[in-house]
Amino acid sequence: MNYTTTLNWIHSHKANGRRPSLERMRYLLDLLDNPQDKFPAVHVVGTNGKGSTTSFLQHILTSSGYKTGTFTSPFITRFNERIAINGEQIPDNDLVQTAQAIKPIVESDSFQEKVGKVTEFELVTTLMFYYFAKINPVDIAVIEAGIGGTFDSTNVFAAQAVICPSISIDHQDTLGNTLAEIAGHKAGVLKPNVPFIFGKMAPEVKEVFYQKSASLGCPTYEIDKDFFVTESKKTFTFTQNDFSISDISLKMLGHHQKSNAALAAMTALILQEKFSKISRDSIKNGLENTIWAGRCELMTPNLMLDGAHNEDSIAKLIDVLKNEFSGKHIHILFAGLSRKPLDTMLEELSDFDLCVTTFNFYQAQALSDYPEKYQKYRIIKNGYNKQSKIPTTCLSSQALFTSFQRFETTY
């Protein structure tokens, strides 16, 4: 196998309607000597903010001197980004080596007769566990769940801590139509006595979280109750009991990122008992050096890329625009998936100069399906031209797939 054939093999396992199976995951991991149990890890669940919070915590742990793995999705430019150590994506040769170790097992007749063919997410999750345990062992990992929690393929290890940045309506076909139902799925990753750190939640979500935590003996840490963010213009102070870090200045924009940073800081304090090199300085240094591609990311001084993909994340994007770019004439280039509530999301953005595009993905909303009142752009597949002169601030929502592509008017 080479890198190209390895990627093709991984992508050949798309679910195509098949449901993930924890029984299949556990059986596969058992055949691999349970790599998920060979290193400590933190589990990150929730609707929005998982990737940013994962990156904040990874930077803190790396700054503290720990070799830190991360597992995230989606990737922006290369598949390898999903499995990384200290912010560096898995090398091509290591990905091939890891796949070669797993391929004979999942392709064997005995395996498929017993539990069936693995899905792509199950396979990628297994590659991550095996890589962090066997090929390039880590001191600790931060693992982002896929969709939900209870039945998610990552829900096969006992975490050092569980973090949930937010809960909002998304993936209703899998997780349910109410916040309480969705919260139940997310809290399903909790194991007995595991600390649970979570952000600002609706009352019905908090009720689910506290009931689940109490039933398992999990200590809870709620923002604005057990730890606090105090904002002061561009900086903020993190406080928990008599511990505080002041004048924290983030590279990532938005009030919500300060909250995500605080979740990571609180988790670091909890981990400090076992990971003694974590310090006040390493927490601050890690937070201040964190970046996360595609989340209010300034590609040029007047071009931002953001992956807002549901109503809650659109609201957070609007908050950033109004607070960070007041007085600017803002253009938004929007692309979305057809299964999302696009009419509502576009209406939320209607105060701005809004136009739409599409991208090469089977679930992407076609240009012809957008209302005629929006100006439409099409993608040119020869890369984003950074030399283009854009007269005012231009921001892109849910266009991660188009981040390095150029666009031009169709009509």
Side-chain angles (χ1 to χ4, degrees):
M1 297 173 73
N2 58 30
Y3 178 69
T4 301
T5 57
T6 296
L7 283 186
N8 289 339
W9 175 69
I10 292 170
H11 294 321
S12 72
H13 289 79
K14 295 200 179 298
N16 292 326
R18 291 180 295 127
R19 287 292 183 182
S21 164
L22 286 177
E23 177 190 3
R24 184 164 52 230
M25 274 296 298
R26 293 189 180 107
Y27 180 66
L28 173 56
L29 291 168
D30 190 55
L31 293 175
L32 293 167
D33 193 28
N34 291 302
Q36 78 281 8
D37 297 331
K38 308 299 184 187
F39 56 89
V42 172
H43 213 165
V44 184
V45 300
T47 308
N48 299 315
K50 297 191 297 293
S52 299
T53 304
T54 295
S55 188
F56 278 125
L57 184 55
Q58 175 262 305
H59 279 80
I60 290 172
L61 292 167
T62 299
S63 179
S64 303
Y66 295 106
K67 185 177 178 182
T68 308
T70 51
F71 181 60
T72 59
S73 59
F75 66 90
I76 307 298
T77 58
R78 296 192 84 228
F79 173 87
N80 302 43
E81 297 165 22
R82 299 186 63 180
I83 302 170
I85 295 178
N86 291 340
E88 298 294 326
Q89 61 186 254
I90 181 173
D92 293 354
N93 290 340
D94 284 5
L95 181 62
V96 172
Q97 182 183 354
T98 308
Q100 287 174 327
I102 295 169
K103 184 178 180 182
I105 295 175
V106 299
E107 290 196 342
S108 68
D109 291 339
S110 60
F111 178 89
Q112 296 201 12
E113 287 171 4
K114 185 174 180 64
V115 292
K117 184 179 179 179
V118 295
T119 67
E120 181 172 349
F121 190 71
E122 289 169 345
L123 179 57
V124 177
T125 303
T126 304
L127 290 170
M128 173 272 296
F129 282 130
Y130 193 86
Y131 182 64
F132 289 161
K134 304 280 190 177
I135 304 297
N136 197 354
V138 298
D139 296 322
I140 186 171
V142 187
I143 296 173
E144 179 186 321
I147 296 175
T150 303
F151 304 109
D152 191 76
S153 300
T154 61
N155 191 20
V156 289
F157 69 99
Q160 300 293 307
V162 171
I163 312 173
C164 183
S166 71
I167 295 290
S168 59
I169 299 296
D170 204 2
H171 301 292
Q172 296 95 309
D173 56 334
T174 301
L175 305 180
N177 294 311
T178 69
L179 292 176
E181 288 177 300
I182 295 169
H185 278 278
K186 308 294 186 180
V189 304
L190 288 171
K191 309 295 187 297
N193 306 312
V194 172
F196 188 24
I197 307 96
F198 53 89
K200 187 175 181 179
M201 301 291 168
E204 59 267 42
V205 172
K206 287 199 284 187
E207 183 178 358
V208 172
F209 281 1
Y210 279 110
Q211 287 179 351
K212 183 71 172 182
S213 298
S215 71
L216 294 170
C218 298
T220 56
Y221 300 84
E222 179 187 348
I223 199 168
D224 295 334
K225 178 176 179 287
D226 302 293
F227 59 101
F228 303 88
V229 170
T230 305
E231 296 191 51
S232 176
K233 295 182 180 179
K234 298 293 185 182
T235 67
F236 72 98
T237 297
F238 167 85
T239 307
Q240 196 262 335
N241 294 335
D242 59 353
F243 178 90
S244 67
I245 306 174
S246 58
D247 297 321
I248 302 171
S249 178
L250 302 179
K251 294 180 178 178
M252 299 173 69
L253 300 176
H255 169 78
H256 63 292
Q257 294 297 3
K258 295 181 176 70
S259 297
N260 292 337
L263 294 172
M266 185 68 248
T267 306
L269 291 180
I270 294 168
L271 294 173
Q272 198 174 37
E273 182 177 348
K274 294 181 180 179
F275 296 85
S276 59
K277 291 187 290 183
I278 296 172
S279 66
R280 185 190 310 268
D281 287 344
S282 67
I283 293 173
K284 184 174 183 180
N285 183 64
L287 294 179
E288 292 190 330
N289 285 287
T290 299
I291 56 173
W292 190 235
R295 279 69 173 181
C296 291
E297 180 186 7
L298 287 170
M299 309 292 290
T300 69
N302 65 340
L303 177 63
M304 178 188 286
L305 177 71
D306 187 68
H309 59 286
N310 53 41
E311 294 173 61
D312 180 59
S313 53
I314 289 287
K316 289 181 169 70
L317 172 61
I318 292 170
D319 182 68
V320 170
L321 301 187
K322 290 184 175 179
N323 285 291
E324 301 288 342
F325 300 95
S326 61
K328 298 277 189 180
H329 184 77
I330 295 172
H331 303 274
I332 294 181
L333 176 67
F334 179 96
L337 300 179
S338 57
R339 58 182 169 82
K340 297 289 186 176
L342 297 184
D343 289 343
T344 303
M345 293 163 69
L346 289 166
E347 183 60 31
E348 287 186 74
L349 296 167
S350 61
D351 287 344
F352 304 101
D353 188 348
L354 180 61
C355 53
V356 296
T357 188
T358 189
F359 52 96
N360 185 24
F361 185 65
Y362 74 102
Q363 291 183 331
Q365 179 87 337
L367 269 182
S368 58
D369 291 335
Y370 282 103
E372 290 302 319
K373 65 180 178 179
Y374 299 114
Q375 188 173 14
K376 301 179 182 183
Y377 287 77
R378 66 180 173 86
I379 301 301
I380 299 176
K381 298 181 180 179
N382 62 346
Y384 167 67
N385 181 2
K386 291 187 177 181
Q387 302 303 313
S388 296
K389 293 182 179 180
I390 303 171
T392 52
T393 305
C394 178
L395 299 108
S396 173
S397 171
Q398 203 184 335
L400 293 183
F401 289 94
T402 69
S403 59
F404 297 103
Q405 295 177 315
R406 180 157 65 109
F407 52 85
E408 68 174 18
T409 294
T410 357
Y411 302 124

